[in-house]
Amino acid sequence: MREITLRAKPLRASDFAPFGEVIDTDGRESRWINDGTCRRFDGLADIDVLAAEGRPLLSIFEASPRALPLRIHALERHPLSSQAFFPLEAYPFLVVVADDGPAPLAERLRAFHSSGRQGVNYRRNIWHHPLIALDRLSRFLVIDRGGAGENCDVLAVDGDGVFVDAPVDTQGGA
Amino acid sequence: MREITLRAKPLRASDFAPFGEVIDTDGRESRWINDGTCRRFDGLADIDVLAAEGRPLLSIFEASPRALPLRIHALERHPLSSQAFFPLEAYPFLVVVADDGPAPLAERLRAFHSSGRQGVNYRRNIWHHPLIALDRLSRFLVIDRGGAGENCDVLAVDGDGVFVDAPVDTQGGA
């Protein structure tokens, strides 16, 4: 097996569907509330956190920026819950996922680029890389699971090296 | 009873404690994760959405800006759940709350000013005003309750008129 470099693709709901949901308002249904002063887009992700007496946990993550290309050493997954991330200052970030197989295989990895106005929700058991912030310290609101039980597996990616890089059209500052 | 004008106070956890939680990282415990690339601040709000077979619902609200001073006609409350709001582009906003009494009394209203890097989580049954965005259309991530059951009461505020205004030191653009 040879080295692989993944070019991140724009994050689109249809491409990301095998891994979870893109959290954004594009093309989503809404309704007006509060006397027409506010538009509400409901149920943008399947928050699956109640297994094994789990409860919803709201957190903030502060992620340090990563230099690209970034070598992907390992991925993680959460066997008891989904995990949702939304960027808090609209900074772009990268997403690397595999699937829900027994281990994250190099040739199954996919990379996506969030515009910064999009979040992601990883489905339970989907292999994914920790946050890949770009350019600057980036804060994210996170909704995952609180409660007892082991809920994080980490496994090395097989092969001779997988790297993720920005999409060609956003290199040099998206 | 005479007219009341509320000057919003800076949103501080201790002042807001009777109404719920301020969602921010100031003074909160954290731990390093992901090989020291990310700092995690856990459990920043009590997400209370499971009553009566409820489930966590993740939504985005787009709130139109309000002109100040704003007359407070009515407040709402959610008898089955908390409701959390976090601003998505770090724009400041105002919060108006009463308490969990049977009706929102004019002389019990309080107003707070979020820096835009702070969210709020209203506890179940706390009377609160719908989103008060300032200056521009503002997006918020919202975590409340999905499921059957009537979960929104709205009541007019008593008295001769309550208005909310920006804090003196942020008027003219915070």
Side-chain angles (χ1 to χ4, degrees):
Chain A
M1 192 182 293
R2 59 187 176 73
E3 250 183 45
I4 298 172
T5 294
L6 303 167
R7 288 282 183 190
K9 291 178 61 173
L11 190 53
R12 292 201 187 93
S14 53
D15 296 333
F16 193 72
F19 314 107
E21 296 96 27
V22 177
I23 304 168
D24 70 8
T25 55
D26 278 1
R28 303 293 298 244
E29 282 183 23
S30 65
R31 57 195 171 94
W32 289 96
I33 59 171
N34 303 336
D35 296 322
T37 62
C38 188
R39 222 171 133 186
R40 177 172 182 144
F41 298 81
D42 259 354
L44 298 178
D46 180 14
I47 305 297
D48 168 23
V49 296
L50 306 184
E53 302 182 17
R55 63 177 193 280
L57 188 70
L58 180 70
S59 308
I60 289 177
F61 285 21
E62 282 182 356
S64 303
R66 309 290 191 113
L68 298 183
L70 174 72
R71 178 153 188 179
I72 305 300
H73 293 283
L75 298 188
E76 63 182 52
R77 68 173 179 183
H78 308 298
L80 296 178
S81 68
S82 59
Q83 190 176 38
F85 293 88
F86 206 99
L88 289 181
E89 284 99 11
Y91 299 145
F93 64 101
L94 297 188
V95 168
V96 173
V97 286
D99 51 27
D100 61 357
L105 302 177
E107 70 269 24
R108 311 267 303 173
L109 265 57
R110 304 278 301 278
F112 298 95
H113 177 266
S114 161
S115 67
R117 289 176 57 91
Q118 305 168 299
V120 290
N121 185 44
Y122 301 120
R123 238 197 311 275
R124 197 197 288 220
N125 274 323
I126 290 294
W127 293 103
H128 58 274
H129 195 274
L131 282 169
I132 304 174
L134 304 172
D135 301 329
R136 53 179 73 76
L137 189 73
S138 302
R139 297 190 312 147
F140 293 80
L141 205 67
V142 180
I143 300 105
D144 58 7
R145 175 185 176 275
E150 185 45 62
N151 192 24
C152 190
D153 300 332
V154 181
L155 271 185
V157 172
D158 67 329
D160 292 331
V162 183
F163 296 82
V164 62
D165 209 344
V168 174
D169 59 350
T170 65
Q171 279 197 304
Chain B
M1 191 182 293
R2 57 185 179 74
E3 249 183 49
I4 297 173
T5 294
L6 303 166
R7 287 282 182 188
K9 291 178 61 173
L11 191 52
R12 293 199 186 97
S14 53
D15 296 333
F16 193 71
F19 314 107
E21 297 95 27
V22 176
I23 304 168
D24 70 6
T25 55
D26 278 0
R28 303 293 298 244
E29 281 183 25
S30 66
R31 57 194 171 93
W32 289 96
I33 59 170
N34 303 336
D35 295 323
T37 62
C38 188
R39 221 170 135 188
R40 177 172 182 145
F41 299 80
D42 259 355
L44 298 178
D46 179 15
I47 305 298
D48 168 24
V49 296
L50 306 183
E53 302 182 19
R55 62 178 194 280
L57 189 70
L58 180 70
S59 308
I60 290 177
F61 285 22
E62 284 182 354
S64 303
R66 309 292 190 112
L68 299 182
L70 174 72
R71 178 153 187 180
I72 304 300
H73 294 283
L75 297 189
E76 62 182 53
R77 68 174 180 183
H78 308 298
L80 295 177
S81 68
S82 59
Q83 189 177 38
F85 294 88
F86 206 99
L88 289 181
E89 283 98 10
Y91 299 146
F93 64 101
L94 297 188
V95 168
V96 173
V97 287
D99 51 27
D100 61 357
L105 302 178
E107 70 268 24
R108 311 269 300 174
L109 265 57
R110 303 278 302 278
F112 297 95
H113 177 267
S114 162
S115 67
R117 288 176 58 90
Q118 306 168 299
V120 291
N121 184 45
Y122 301 120
R123 237 198 311 277
R124 197 199 288 219
N125 273 323
I126 290 294
W127 292 104
H128 58 273
H129 195 273
L131 281 169
I132 305 174
L134 304 172
D135 300 330
R136 53 179 73 74
L137 190 73
S138 301
R139 297 190 313 146
F140 294 80
L141 205 67
V142 180
I143 300 105
D144 57 7
R145 175 185 176 275
E150 185 44 62
N151 192 24
C152 190
D153 299 331
V154 181
L155 271 186
V157 172
D158 67 331
D160 291 332
V162 183
F163 297 82
V164 62
D165 209 344
V168 176
D169 59 351
T170 65
Q171 280 196 305

